[in-house]
Amino acid sequence: GGVPLHLQSSDGFMLLIGKNSRQNEEVTFHQATANDIWLHARGVPGAHVIIKAAGREIPRSTIEQAAGLAAYYSQARGTTTAPVDYTLQKHVRHMKGGGPGMVIYERERTMYVPPDNFQH
């Protein structure tokens, strides 16, 4: 149920956040395209976060913001810093036999960030 969260980064990039497995499936495979950045807190259940590139270079500040959101909307919320993996959407694919939002990914990098929803 529900719809994915849509937020704008401070650099003006659209961020999409799935709050459950069905929404994760939606943002990752229906709303994202190949060169958007996909983020997920490493090793815990949580949101898939998409940064819509819209043909632009995505700055590190936006990746950090999106990573903070991926950590916040995951079981890493409440920790001081959390590892968040990110990669291009084209390197994310369905896990064979997995349910909605169950994915495997490659060529990821990891960023350590404090969980933050930026809704101050």
Side-chain angles (χ1 to χ4, degrees):
V3 292
L5 270 181
H6 289 64
L7 296 174
Q8 199 171 40
S9 81
S10 50
D11 300 304
F13 288 82
M14 181 60 69
L15 309 175
L16 311 174
I17 302 159
K19 299 192 300 297
N20 56 45
S21 57
R22 211 165 290 284
Q23 291 181 22
N24 283 345
E25 178 78 13
E26 173 69 23
V27 298
T28 298
F29 296 108
H30 300 284
Q31 297 184 13
T33 53
N35 290 308
D36 293 342
I37 292 180
W38 176 92
L39 307 91
H40 188 277
R42 177 192 279 263
V44 294
H48 292 191
V49 177
I50 299 295
I51 306 168
K52 295 294 294 173
R56 293 185 290 162
E57 188 71 32
I58 299 171
R60 183 177 175 87
S61 50
T62 283
I63 300 173
E64 283 173 0
Q65 242 183 354
L69 287 160
Y72 183 86
Y73 289 101
S74 80
Q75 282 185 9
R77 186 190 302 193
T79 60
T80 316
T81 57
V84 174
D85 289 342
Y86 64 99
T87 191
L88 293 177
Q89 186 272 355
K90 63 186 171 192
H91 300 311
V92 181
R93 59 188 191 275
H94 285 108
M95 190 180 288
K96 223 185 200 60
M102 300 289 286
V103 300
I104 51 179
Y105 54 94
E106 58 194 11
R107 302 204 194 178
E108 73 277 4
R109 299 171 69 175
T110 306
M111 185 178 269
Y112 290 80
V113 294
D116 192 349
N117 72 348
F118 294 100
Q119 303 300 291
H120 307 309

